[in-house]
């Protein structure tokens, strides 16, 4: 960040002076608009809402155990979804990807399986078998890609062919070679190690592909302190970054002016200490109030030091569309309140085939409140277009409404989850909304592109998000003795989650930053143009198919180390789940547009649906209804976002 | 520099089975000059540029690059020899940003293989600078090409070809989809490119666009050459007449005259 400090203010002044006259045909887009046109943002918001929904209606879902299961399920799905989304951005499909995961696991198992035991198996060491099966995977991808390129047939048809070939071959070879429809067992290698004098690399590779982290055997007493520090630091950074992106910097101000946030941070620490030292709900309210004050002090302090005041705030006004949206929002929230009041909090019985009484109550309340919140926000944006003051007043009223709802929830709910956590979080959100409404009334929004401020604000905000991720990770990976004594259910994190994260990060980097990534977008967006200009279109597509089959190899090996035995039908039909995850994550079915990060989020959404339904005591047969609905909703939402994106940019 | 033209074409022909797509076409392209190829729809203009750009290969005649006979097997090969084609559909990916389109297929990279990434800052700066040389101020090179106007897109394509060392620039109907003002802008780029020493082949069906910028005119009709003139050998009216098939146009004019006078 040194380049920002060097004469930051002077350069900023010159830059902004230029920027304001630069191009009259470019309308400046505020930070929120620019955020929402990114393909992965919709998916991230959807993931957050779905998580909140299941967290509210289900007991075990929100615990660390639930999170580890979601991550576990999403990791293999996600590795494939990320690879498939790259292929889809490149304009092709691979219907054989699901069946290939099982097939490549089986190939690996057949290669290591002992000849001496039952029938079949090559009895190779894993050191040889893994590279060999990887070569098979590359061959499969090369075959798919070359067939698509040479025949110019739609990849849908070509890979449908290879799908059936793989399905048949899996069954045929399994029966032929081992006389069963399943192939195993990998851990025989370890068991038979003594007879043979060596486990053929099993112990080594089991650490890479099969290791697990058992949370309950990792005790760290200082965990909560680190967690709190990380979360607070993250929130402060995010807060500062948001201000930097949103407000217009006063020309003479350098980095020192960021210190304006410090008094707020001091008050914030006081608020957190209050929260820490009290456990009852009264203390929560006091802590939340102090944290709210901290935000106010921090925000106004920062703005006063760094950003320019707004010359005029306009006068109050109203319009029919605004009142309509706000009215509808209030009605929805009121319905939510009525729905909540019409159930008895003390009763918790199964009332229908699907839900318990409290579950239904939570669904109605959370669902209606969310609808109300969206309508109110629509109303707020309409109010803001009338005048700054109107927007701010409406926003502040919404904030006060959120606070009122928080107290309502505390009074009406029986569960400690709602009385404690939901109450405090909602109060904090209410405080943030009110503070934001005050800050945006008094200080001026930046209405021109300032590359320096954008870069600085983005870096700070991303640092904040990373700090929070670190905090949550610390909390998920370690336990404290107190928790153990209370009998916290165990949670295990598999190494496959790391594979998932690393693979997603690598693919995202490749797509955004490398030649190959550019070519992927190009062959998907306009293949003929790409070829005319010298992009090796056929080679790029073949490499994409090989990426997908390489991912299938990874997933197959992960499955083999997890299950030891692989069924002949493993993975069959899952290719559609990969495609759904990619589409949910904002990837366009017609190619040329999309996001690998979004696909990873899409996989998490699907894993939540798969896990959330049974843990909310719903029969998991319903998950396909849920998945179908998510697919349709997200396609509509993504289409809308993209049309906005194209209109804006 | 010798007097050898950059490109020489002699009696070029192309057949698709029993269909004669192009026959007996002769012309030349000098460095720093604009050769216009005129013709109505279906005259064989597309076939002509595809041969030059290496998409198709000629079946008859001789194609000489700086005096040496050549046949290009692929667009890549033509490009490597300094012949860049800017097609009607522009060879751009609308959803991708200006700088990515500018460097597509030849991205500047940092790092050592296999860890190489695009030098984004450099790519953006060059794209912006090259566009500025063409007289276009692209404010944000992250802008998607699909959102640019037709003239701006043309300028991106031309600037790209010039930057990547094209000696011969083939422009396929660059003005056909544009309004009057935008066409003027593109014509200026054509002159600009020729001034920089490139040989330009400008394909159009509009003699009013061709005549002011052209130094040499090749007129095609139904796959055959109707003539190959230097600028001092032909006037704009003759050009128009030849292009539309001479006699046919006169007939049409007479008919129109009769129709108009009949109305009075």
């Amino acid at each position: 960040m040194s380049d920002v400090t060097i004469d930051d203010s002077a350069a900023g002044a010159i830059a902004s002076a230029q920027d304001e006259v630069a191009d009259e045909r470019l309308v400046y887009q505020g930070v929120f608009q620019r955020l929402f046109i990114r393909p992965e943002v919709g998916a991230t918001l959807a993931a957050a809402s779905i998580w909140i929904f299941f967290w509210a209606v289900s007991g075990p879902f929100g615990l660390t155990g639930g999170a580890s299961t979601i991550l576990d399920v999403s990791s293999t799905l996600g590795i494939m979804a990320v690879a498939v989304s790259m292929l889809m951005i490149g304009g092709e499909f691979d219907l054989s990807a699901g069946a290939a995961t099982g097939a490549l696991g089986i190939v690996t198992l057949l290669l290591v399986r002992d000849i001496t035991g039952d029938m079949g198996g090559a009895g190779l060491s894993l050191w040889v078998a893994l590279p060999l099966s990887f070569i098979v995977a590359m061959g499969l991808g090369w075959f798919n890609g070359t067939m698509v390129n040479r025949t110019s047939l739609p990849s849908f048809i070509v890979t449908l062919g290879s799908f059936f070939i793989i399905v048949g071959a899996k069954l045929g070879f399994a029966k032929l070679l081992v006389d069963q429809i399943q192939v195993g067992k990998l851990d025989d290698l370890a068991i038979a190690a003594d007879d043979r004098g060596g486990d053929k690399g099993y112990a080594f590779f089991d650490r890479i592909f099969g290791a697990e982290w058992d949370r309950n055997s990792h005790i760290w007493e200082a965990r909560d302190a680190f967690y709190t520090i990380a979360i607070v630091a993250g929130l402060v950074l995010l807060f500062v970054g948001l201000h930097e992106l949103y407000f217009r910097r006063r020309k003479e101000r350098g980095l020192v002016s960021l210190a304006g946030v410090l008094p707020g941070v001091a008050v914030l620490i006081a608020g957190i200490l209050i929260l820490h030292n009290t456990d009852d709900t009264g203390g929560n309210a006091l802590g939340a109030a102090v944290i709210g004050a901290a935000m106010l002090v921090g925000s106004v302090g920062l703005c006063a030091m760094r950003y320019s005041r707004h010359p005029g705030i306009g006068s109050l006004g109203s319009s029919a569309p605004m009142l309509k949206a706000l009215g509808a929002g209030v009605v929805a929230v009121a319905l939510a309140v009525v729905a909540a009041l019409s159930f008895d909090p003390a009763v918790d019985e199964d009332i229908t085939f699907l839900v318990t009484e409290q579950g239904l109550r939570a669904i109605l309340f959370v669902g209606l409140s969310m609808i109300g919140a969206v309508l109110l926000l629509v109303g707020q944006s309409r109010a803001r277009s009338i005048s700054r003051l109107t927007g701010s007043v409406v926003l502040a009223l919404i904030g006060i409404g959120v606070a009122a709802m928080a107290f309502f929830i505390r009074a009406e709910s029986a569960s400690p989850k709602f009385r404690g956590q939901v109450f405090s979080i909602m109060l904090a959100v209410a405080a943030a909304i009110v503070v934001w409404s005050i800050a945006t009334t008094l200080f001026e929004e930046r209405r021109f592109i300032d590359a320096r401020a954008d870069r600085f604000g983005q870096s700070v905000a991303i640092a904040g998000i990373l700090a929070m991720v670190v905090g949550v990770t610390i909390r998920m990976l370690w336990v404290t003795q107190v928790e153990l004594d209370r009998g916290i259910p165990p949670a295990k994190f598999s190494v496959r989650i790391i594979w998932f994260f690393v693979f997603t990060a690598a693919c995202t980097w490749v797509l955004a930053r490398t030649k190959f990534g550019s070519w992927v977008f190009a062959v998907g967006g306009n293949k003929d143009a790409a070829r005319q200009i010298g992009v090796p279109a056929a080679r790029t597509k073949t490499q994409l198919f090989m990426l997908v089959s390489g991912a299938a190899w990874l997933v197959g090996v992960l499955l083999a180390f997890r299950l030891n035995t692989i069924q002949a039908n493993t993975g069959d039909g899952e290719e559609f789940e990969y495609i759904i995850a990619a589409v949910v994550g904002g990837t366009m079915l017609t190619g040329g547009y999309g996001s690998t990060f979004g696909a990873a989020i899409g996989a998490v959404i699907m894993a939540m649906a798969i896990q959330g339904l049974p843990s909310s005591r719903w029969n998991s047969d319903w998950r396909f209804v849920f998945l179908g609905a998510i697919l349709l909703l997200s396609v509509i939402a993504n289409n809308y976002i993209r049309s906005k994106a194209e209109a804006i940019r | 520099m010798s007097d050898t033209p950059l490109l020489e074409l002699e009696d070029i022909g192309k057949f698709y089975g029993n269909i004669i797509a192009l026959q007996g076409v002769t012309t030349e392209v000098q460095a720093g000059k604009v050769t216009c190829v005129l013709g109505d729809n279906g005259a064989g203009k597309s076939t002509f540029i595809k041969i030059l750009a290496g998409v198709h290969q000629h079946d008859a005649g001789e194609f000489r690059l700086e005096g040496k006979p050549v046949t290009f097997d692929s667009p890549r090969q033509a490009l490597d020899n300094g012949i860049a084609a800017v097609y009607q559909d522009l060879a751009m990916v609308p959803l991708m940003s200006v700088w990515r389109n500018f460097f597509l297929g030849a991205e500047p990279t940092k790092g050592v293989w296999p860890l190489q990434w695009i030098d984004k800052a450099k790519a953006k700066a060059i794209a912006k600078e090259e566009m500025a040389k063409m007289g276009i101020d692209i404010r944000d090179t992250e802008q998607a090409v699909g959102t640019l106007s037709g003239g701006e897109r043309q300028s991106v394509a031309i600037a790209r070809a010039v930057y990547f060392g094209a000696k011969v620039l083939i422009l396929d109907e660059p003005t056909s989809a544009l309004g009057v003002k935008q066409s003027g802008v593109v014509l200026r780029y054509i002159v600009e490119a020729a001034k920089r020493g490139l040989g330009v082949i400008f394909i159009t069906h509009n003699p009013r666009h061709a005549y002011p910028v052209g130094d040499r005119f090749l007129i095609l009709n139904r796959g055959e050459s109707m003539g190959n003139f230097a600028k001092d050998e032909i006037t704009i009216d003759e050009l128009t007449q030849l292009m539309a098939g001479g006699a046919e146009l006169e007939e049409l004019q007479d008919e129109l005259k009769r129709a108009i006078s009949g109305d009075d």
Side-chain angles (χ1 to χ4, degrees), chain A residues 116-378:
Chain A
T116 45
D118 303 317
M119 275 186 285
L124 296 172
S125 153
L126 277 168
W127 291 100
V128 182
L130 286 172
L132 272 183
S133 59
F134 185 72
I135 291 171
V136 173
M138 292 295 102
L140 174 67
W142 180 85
F143 172 79
N144 277 336
T146 310
M147 284 295 280
V148 168
N149 285 325
R150 286 287 158 85
T151 60
S152 304
L153 287 169
S155 50
F156 229 91
I157 299 300
V158 172
T159 55
L160 188 63
S162 40
F163 165 74
F164 278 109
I165 293 173
I166 292 172
V167 168
K170 277 199 292 193
L171 215 53
F173 277 116
K175 284 207 173 172
L176 186 71
L177 296 174
V178 297
D179 209 18
Q180 283 177 330
I181 54 159
Q182 60 179 35
V183 181
K185 296 175 59 180
L186 193 60
D187 54 0
D188 281 353
L189 291 178
I191 298 162
D194 291 339
D195 310 344
R196 225 176 18 228
D199 65 354
K200 297 187 171 184
Y202 180 79
F204 178 82
F205 284 107
D206 191 45
R207 292 178 72 88
I208 294 177
F209 295 113
E212 276 185 340
W213 174 281
D214 185 355
R215 183 188 193 223
N216 279 12
S217 59
H218 292 83
I219 302 169
W220 185 14
E221 285 310 323
R223 182 199 71 179
D224 283 344
F226 277 91
Y227 168 73
T228 312
I229 291 170
I231 295 292
V232 170
L235 283 173
V236 170
L237 287 173
L238 187 62
F239 183 80
V240 171
L242 195 64
H243 278 69
E244 186 73 11
L245 288 169
Y246 191 85
F247 290 107
R248 176 180 176 162
R249 210 191 305 176
R250 286 217 308 265
K251 282 168 187 166
E252 71 275 21
R253 293 295 155 177
L255 270 188
V256 187
S257 58
L258 286 176
V261 79
L262 288 180
V265 175
V267 185
L268 180 66
I269 291 168
I272 288 177
L273 287 179
I274 294 173
L275 278 185
H276 254 290
N277 292 325
T278 47
D279 248 352
D280 60 79
T281 45
N284 280 337
L286 178 61
V290 175
I291 290 173
M295 282 193 276
L296 187 62
V297 174
S299 180
V300 174
L302 180 64
C303 285
M305 293 274 284
R306 194 167 171 79
Y307 305 110
S308 58
R309 281 291 294 269
H310 198 269
I313 55 174
S315 54
L316 278 176
S318 76
S319 70
M322 171 192 110
L323 292 176
K324 215 184 277 173
L326 290 177
V330 170
V331 168
V333 174
L335 280 176
V337 169
V338 171
L341 284 176
S342 51
F343 289 91
D344 184 346
V347 183
D348 191 14
E349 288 168 359
D350 289 353
I351 45 169
T352 64
F353 67 113
L354 280 180
V355 285
T356 66
E357 179 145 344
Q358 290 304 306
L360 183 61
R361 188 180 187 222
I363 291 169
L364 283 175
F365 182 72
V366 174
L368 284 168
S369 306
M370 280 184 177
I371 294 171
V374 170
L375 287 168
L376 287 172
L377 286 176
V378 170

Side-chain angles (χ1 to χ4, degrees), chain A residues 527-539:
Chain A
K527 188 183 166 195
D528 293 330
R531 219 187 24 223
Q532 275 172 15
I533 204 162
V535 171
R539 196 176 81 198

Side-chain angles (χ1 to χ4, degrees), chain A residues 48-71:
Chain A
S49 328
I50 291 171
W51 190 84
I52 291 171
F53 180 80
F54 280 124
W55 177 81
V57 301
S58 129
F61 187 85
L63 301 176
T64 305
S68 78
T69 319
I70 293 168
L71 286 174

